[in-house]
Each structure stands twice: as structure tokens, then as C-alpha cells.
């Protein structure tokens, strides 16, 4: 059985306790991962502190070369990384190979390029002084990520952190640690010095919390649930650390009657069920203007039913396994609550049969559509984070916007209309950090990424990430 130790300054560190890793598609334990204690985390922070001085004074062009080299190694090992990712999460292997792992390489290429073009600020006070602003890396960054897009989200933090000269202590989810473990071999092969990236594994409340509370970790970048994010804000905030939190969502997908329905239905199905609905950006609350509501529901349900649930290793599979049995029960529990609140289940709604013998113990749940719910009920308000969408009609633009804004979350939204003026108006009024008009998941890595309300604090991406991982220092020089 595979055994995944911590990696500190390029060396494996065995822990006292170990956690079983289950392959969600089969329900079988296939590996164990270390469960770090606060003392283990302290060793990782020490290694990162030791590496910081040398790495932060390495010229940006050299750091950039190392990151480009790493991206090339990720491309070389795409198949191996994709298989690890699929095995850990239950996502279709074809998707991991075509989407997740190429994006991992892109994260490194993007920030390798970005640091070559970074500019400083200069403010002139004619006749009296000049100001210039230095930006310096903060030190050891604590980087914590979830299980749904394991390496894609973790490297979205590692790349800007180390590109700007920080060292880091990372903690991927204890449910999906394998691809992060494999990445450490490539980091060493790319010539990134030992200790610049350290990989700690273990439970959030122990290993994760030890990173948050460590006095020598001044910056925290976290992606995960709103519940854990709120705990982190309290503790990191009390220590006056810098933190960036990317949290949960309950994203509205608003379809106006003038939309291109073919396009809206096809993309909305993708936005609902990609990665088994386990993407923070999934459009899980579908709001449809009354004149096209029935047509939209019928056609969407027909398309959702046609999606092929299968073994993640089968290239024809479109819907793989959920992350595990506990999560399946949480998803199913919210569907049962929706039913009890008077909702109608239009398709799916109960555990799917295993697609083959290998997947007999897997956590398969079909695409599920629920209509007829009150906007205030749990299924409309809580993040389900599974292949489940709710659908409701609205009468006019005002009501559409009001329903779209009617949750505590504010991560992403989708608007479908052919009316340009309305698209601008609704985008302005909608309370989310990201708005897609007539599209979903079109990502330009230069744009700010993150949510408002309970979906997060701060932004990732482009300049925002470069700023987060550096501390500004203004120097004012009198000129007379
Ligand atoms: P989670 O909050 O349970 O765990 C996320 C990570 O934080 C894991 O590594 C976990 O071990 C760690 N952790 C948990 N408690 C901690 C604590 N007290 N201190 C430090 N670390 C702690 O979330 P999850 O179930 O792994 O992921 C699903 C959630 O992540 C969903 O809510 C989803 O919306 C959210 N998410 C958000 C984004 C985004 O960009 N906004 C992206 C992906 C996922």
C-alpha cells in the first residue's frame, strides 16, 4: 500500500499517526497519509524559514526559469498526475488529463511570466520629494487547499507565493494528498531549492490549525469551506496575519427569456454537473424567467439524464464518483430535506448504482434537478457541493436580481441574455465577485478571482496574488 509521508526540505518525514486514503470510486483504502502534529509543522516552518533568505534574494529571472522548468515537468508527467488525481477524488480521468493537470502547468507558467513584468510604484511631489514603493516577499506562507480540484487549487497558491520569493508550508486536503506528494518530486527535479516548498499532510483541525497559529507564518492563503474559513479568520486575525480566504458558494445562474436557450442549456448543464457538481463555481441555483421556464426545465432535465455516470477510469464517463461516502450522505440528506419541504425531484435524487464490479463500493450520485422550492429553504440556501441543482421561475429583472442575491454567499454568478444593456445592468447589481455573461468558467488568469459576502476575503489571480504575497514599503526622499 502506498504511504505518503510529509516532505520537508526535500526529505520525507514519517509521522506518528497515519490516515487511510480511500479511492472514492471503489470505496477501498489504497494508501495512508501522514497526520502531522504541531511539532511536525514546526519543523516544516523552520525549513521554510531557513530557505527564505536564499530564495528571496535569487533574481526574479532565475526564479522564473525554475517555475518554467517545473511547468515543463508537469506536462511531461501529465498522465501520472492525472491518474493520481482521479484515484484520489473519483473525477473522470479524462477530465483530470485534459483540464486539471494542464491548468497546474499553466499556473506555474503564468506566474513565471508575471514576475518578469512586475513594476514598482513611483509618486512624485514636484519640488519637495519623491516616493517609491518597494514590494518584498512576506516570508513563510501557509497554503491550505481542499479536495475538489486538489493540485489545480494548491498550485494556484504555490506559484505566486514562490514566484514572488516567499517560501511556503503547504497542506493539501487529507482526502486527496497524492498529486501534491508527486509534485514534490518535480519541484526538486526543477531545481527549486530544498525548503522553498514543504508539504505537510494531515487533518485540518490539527495540521492545518498548527500552520494558522504558527507565529513564524505571517501570510495565510486558504481555500475551503466557509466554516473553516471563519475559524481561520478569527485565529489568523487575532495574530494580525495577512490572510486570503476563498470559501463556499451557492451560485445563481440567471436565464432571461431572450437568451440563446440552446447555448444556455448546454452550458448550464456543464456548470451544474462538472466534477460531479463539486466546484465552488458551479451554478447550482438556476433562476429562469417565467416565459421560458417550463421549456428550460424540460430540456435541461432531458440533457441531465443523458449524462453518462461511470467508472472514472473509463474515457466515456462524464459523471464520476463523489469524494466519498460521508459526502454522499450529506448531499442525499439535503435532497431529502428538499423533498420534505415540498420540492419535486425531476431527475436523479437517490444514489446511483455502481457502474461496474470494480466500483461496487463507490460513491455515485446522479445529476439531480429539484423544482418547486421556497427560496428560503435549506436546499436553496446551503451549499450542497454535489450534482444537485434547484430551479425556480422569476417574473422580471428586479425579482431575478433579488433571488440571485438572496443568499449569504457571493462567489460567482451566470447571466444569460441577448440584451447588452441588461447584461451590464444585472452584472452591476449582482452581489458576486465573479460574473459570467453567456458563458461559464472562461478564465483569464490575470483577472481577480474570489468572492464577496460569506464566500471569502481578498482575491487571488494576477496582480491581486502578486500583491497578497508581497509587503509594500514606501520610501520617501526629500529633494530640497
Ligand atoms: P474544508 O474547509 O473542510 O477543508 C479545506 C482544507 O482546510 C483542508 O485541507 C482541511 O484539512 C483544511 N482545514 C479544515 N479545517 C481547518 C482549520 N481549522 N485550520 C486550518 N485548516 C483547516 O473544505 P473541503 O470540504 O475540503 O472543500 C470544500 C469547500 O471548499 C466547499 O465549501 C467549496 O465551496 C470550497 N471551495 C472554495 C473555492 C473557492 O475558490 N472559493 C474553491 C474550491 C473549493
Amino acid at each position: 500500500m502506498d504511504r505518503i509521508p510529509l516532505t520537508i526540505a526535500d526529505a520525507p518525514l514519517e509521522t506518528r499517526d497515519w490516515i487511510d486514503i480511500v479511492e472514492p470510486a471503489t470505496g477501498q483504502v489504497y494508501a495512508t497519509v501522514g497526520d502531522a502534529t504541531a511539532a511536525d509543522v514546526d519543523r516544516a516552518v523552520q525549513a521554510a524559514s531557513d530557505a527564505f533568505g536564499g530564495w528571496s534574494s535569487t533574481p526574479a529571472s532565475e526564479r522564473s526559469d525554475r517555475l518554467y522548468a517545473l511547468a515543463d515537468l508537469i506536462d511531461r508527467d501529465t498522465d501520472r498526475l492525472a491518474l493520481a488525481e482521479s484515484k484520489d477524488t473519483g473525477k473522470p480521468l479524462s477530465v483530470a488529463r485534459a483540464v486539471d493537470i494542464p491548468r497546474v502547468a499553466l499556473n506555474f507558467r503564468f506566474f513565471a511570466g508575471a514576475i518578469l513584468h512586475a513594476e514598482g510604484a513611483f509618486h512624485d511631489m514636484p519640488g519637495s520629494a519623491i516616493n517609491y514603493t518597494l514590494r518584498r516577499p512576506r516570508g513563510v506562507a501557509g497554503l491550505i487547499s481542499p479536495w475538489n480540484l486538489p493540485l489545480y487549487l494548491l498550485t494556484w497558491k504555490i506559484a505566486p507565493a514562490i514566484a514572488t520569493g516567499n517560501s511556503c508550508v503547504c497542506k493539501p486536503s487529507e482526502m486527496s494528498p497524492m498529486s501534491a506528494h508527486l509534485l514534490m518530486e518535480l519541484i526538486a527535479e526543477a531545481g527549486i531549492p530544498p525548503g522553498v516548498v514543504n508539504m505537510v499532510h494531515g487533518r485540518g483541525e490539527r495540521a492545518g490549525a498548527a500552520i494558522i497559529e504558527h507565529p513564524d507564518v505571517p501570510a495565510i492563503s486558504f481555500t475551503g469551506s466557509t466554516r473553516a474559513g471563519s475559524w481561520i479568520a478569527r485565529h489568523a486575525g487575532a495574530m494580525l496575519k495577512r490572510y486570503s480566504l476563498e470559501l463556499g458558494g451557492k451560485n445563481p445562474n440567471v436565464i432571461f427569456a431572450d437568451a440563446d436557450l440552446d447555448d444556455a442549456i448546454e452550458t448550464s448543464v456543464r456548470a451544474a454537473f462538472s466534477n460531479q457538481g463539486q466546484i465552488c463555481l458551479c451554478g447550482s441555483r438556476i433562476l429562469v424567467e417565467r416565459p421560458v421556464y417550463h421549456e428550460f426545465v424540460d430540456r435541461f432535465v432531458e440533457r441531465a439524464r443523458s449524462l453518462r455516470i461511470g467508472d472514472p477510469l473509463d474515457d466515456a464517463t462524464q459523471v464520476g464518483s463523489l469524494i466519498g461516502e460521508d459526502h454522499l450522505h450529506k448531499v442525499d440528506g439535503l435532497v431529502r430535506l428538499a423533498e420534505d419541504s415540498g420540492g419535486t425531484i425531476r431527475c436523479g435524487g437517490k444514489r446511483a448504482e455502481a457502474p461496474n464490479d470494480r466500483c461496487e463500493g463507490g460513491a455515485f450520485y446522479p445529476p439531480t434537478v429539484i423544482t418547486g422550492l421556497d427560496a428560503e429553504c435549506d436546499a436553496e440556501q446551503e451549499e450542497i457541493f454535489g450534482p444537485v441543482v434547484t430551479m425556480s421561475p422569476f417574473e422580471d429583472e428586479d425579482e431575478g436580481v433579488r433571488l440571485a442575491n438572496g443568499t449569504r454567499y457571493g462567489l460567482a454568478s451566470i447571466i444569460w441574455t441577448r440584451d447588452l444593456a441588461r447584461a451590464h445592468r444585472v452584472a452591476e447589481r449582482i452581489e458576486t465577485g465573479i460574473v459570467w455573461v453567456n458563458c461559464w468558467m472562461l478564465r483569464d488568469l490575470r483577472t481577480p478571482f474570489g468572492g464577496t459576502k460569506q464566500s471569502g476575503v481578498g482575491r487571488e489571480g494576477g496582480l491581486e496574488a502578486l500583491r497578497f504575497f508581497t509587503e509594500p514599503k514606501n520610501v520617501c526622499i526629500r529633494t530640497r
Side-chain angles (χ1 to χ4, degrees):
M1 190 186 303
D2 290 322
R3 205 169 153 87
I4 305 174
L6 319 187
T7 306
I8 296 178
D10 283 2
L13 179 76
E14 300 271 321
T15 49
R16 189 188 60 205
D17 305 321
W18 296 82
I19 303 169
D20 285 343
I21 304 299
V22 174
E23 179 179 358
T26 64
Q28 301 298 314
V29 174
Y30 83 97
T32 59
V33 65
D35 186 10
T37 60
D40 297 327
V41 168
D42 188 50
R43 290 175 69 169
V45 174
Q46 191 57 54
S49 302
D50 292 347
F52 175 66
W55 182 246
S56 59
S57 51
T58 299
S61 59
E62 220 172 285
R63 293 200 303 265
S64 170
D65 286 349
R66 299 293 110 234
L67 265 63
Y68 277 125
L70 177 56
D72 290 345
L73 294 172
I74 290 162
D75 285 345
R76 183 197 70 190
D77 284 6
T78 295
D79 285 348
R80 191 166 77 113
L81 293 166
L83 186 59
E85 201 90 325
S86 168
K87 199 165 180 178
D88 261 358
T89 60
K91 74 174 66 201
L93 175 59
S94 58
V95 175
R97 204 189 287 124
V99 180
D100 297 57
I101 304 304
R103 170 60 192 274
V104 171
L106 190 58
N107 286 344
F108 286 107
R109 286 205 177 92
F110 177 81
F111 285 105
I115 48 163
L116 299 179
H117 304 281
E119 288 179 356
F122 169 77
H123 296 94
D124 194 9
M125 299 167 74
S128 65
I130 57 169
N131 294 271
Y132 61 91
T133 309
L134 297 170
R135 296 204 80 99
R136 293 290 180 255
R138 295 188 186 277
V140 179
L143 313 177
I144 301 180
S145 56
W147 49 259
N148 62 324
L149 305 169
L151 204 53
Y152 173 136
L153 291 174
L154 184 57
T155 55
W156 184 228
K157 300 178 186 303
I158 297 176
I162 66 173
T164 49
N166 300 276
S167 55
C168 57
V169 174
C170 311
K171 200 202 82 63
S173 169
E174 58 275 35
M175 287 190 261
S176 56
M178 186 55 101
S179 53
H181 175 61
L182 298 178
L183 178 75
M184 294 308 291
E185 293 170 15
L186 304 185
I187 284 177
E189 193 180 340
I192 294 170
V196 171
V197 181
N198 302 278
M199 197 62 68
V200 157
H201 298 284
R203 283 171 295 136
E205 58 275 19
R206 186 160 90 172
I211 296 174
I212 304 301
E213 294 181 316
H214 199 291
D216 298 331
V217 178
I220 304 287
S221 177
F222 171 83
T223 299
S225 61
T226 294
R227 181 191 49 76
S230 154
W231 186 92
I232 290 168
R234 282 199 302 284
H235 289 76
M239 296 174 81
L240 304 179
K241 296 189 177 201
R242 306 296 178 267
Y243 58 82
S244 157
L245 305 173
E246 299 298 336
L247 310 177
K250 185 76 180 170
N251 309 307
N253 179 3
V254 188
I255 288 111
F256 287 96
D258 69 342
D260 174 339
L261 275 200
D262 292 345
D263 197 2
I265 290 165
E266 199 52 38
T267 306
S268 298
V269 166
R270 202 162 50 79
F273 304 124
S274 290
N275 209 39
Q276 298 69 245
Q278 302 166 128
I279 303 180
C280 56
L281 303 166
C282 278
S284 56
R285 243 173 355 118
I286 302 181
L287 307 167
V288 189
E289 204 171 12
R290 179 78 73 186
V292 293
Y293 178 69
H294 291 295
E295 180 187 352
F296 186 94
V297 173
D298 291 347
R299 290 178 60 190
F300 185 99
V301 166
E302 193 188 327
R303 189 71 188 86
R305 280 207 181 104
S306 75
L307 293 177
R308 191 182 158 134
I309 304 171
D311 185 336
L313 299 182
D314 178 348
D315 272 351
T317 293
Q318 292 169 300
V319 179
S321 163
L322 301 193
I323 186 66
E325 202 57 30
D326 288 352
H327 191 58
L328 185 144
H329 286 299
K330 184 202 138 196
V331 169
D332 191 58
L334 278 158
V335 173
R336 298 283 75 80
L337 265 182
E339 219 175 11
D340 293 347
S341 319
T344 305
I345 302 201
R346 308 295 290 255
C347 64
K350 63 178 191 325
R351 174 181 211 122
E353 279 177 20
N356 59 21
D357 290 350
R358 189 185 93 83
C359 295
E360 206 51 63
F364 293 88
Y365 206 87
T368 298
V369 177
I370 311 174
T371 56
L373 288 169
D374 186 277
E376 299 306 318
C377 76
D378 285 343
E380 289 282 4
Q381 292 292 324
E382 296 304 319
E383 183 183 41
I384 299 177
F385 217 54
V388 180
V389 294
T390 60
M391 285 191 191
S392 316
F394 66 87
E395 302 302 333
D396 57 19
E397 192 176 308
D398 279 348
E399 191 187 19
V401 170
R402 186 174 56 74
L403 289 172
N405 289 340
T407 73
R408 66 188 173 118
Y409 294 107
L411 185 55
S413 55
I414 314 168
I415 302 166
W416 292 91
T417 179
R418 286 184 164 113
D419 178 339
L420 186 61
R422 172 157 52 203
H424 285 295
R425 245 185 351 256
V426 176
E428 172 71 29
R429 293 174 68 194
I430 218 156
E431 296 163 354
T432 59
I434 300 161
V435 183
W436 276 295
V437 178
N438 297 332
C439 59
W440 178 70
M441 265 296 205
L442 256 186
R443 291 277 296 117
D444 179 328
L445 301 191
R446 293 170 299 179
T447 59
F449 177 90
T452 177
K453 293 156 70 176
Q454 304 267 298
S455 289
V457 175
R459 295 290 185 273
E460 296 188 318
L463 263 186
E464 303 282 340
L466 296 178
R467 289 213 174 101
F468 175 75
F469 285 110
T470 53
E471 182 80 33
K473 181 195 288 180
N474 191 66
V475 180
C476 175
I477 301 180
R478 204 173 92 184
T479 50
R480 53 173 282 171

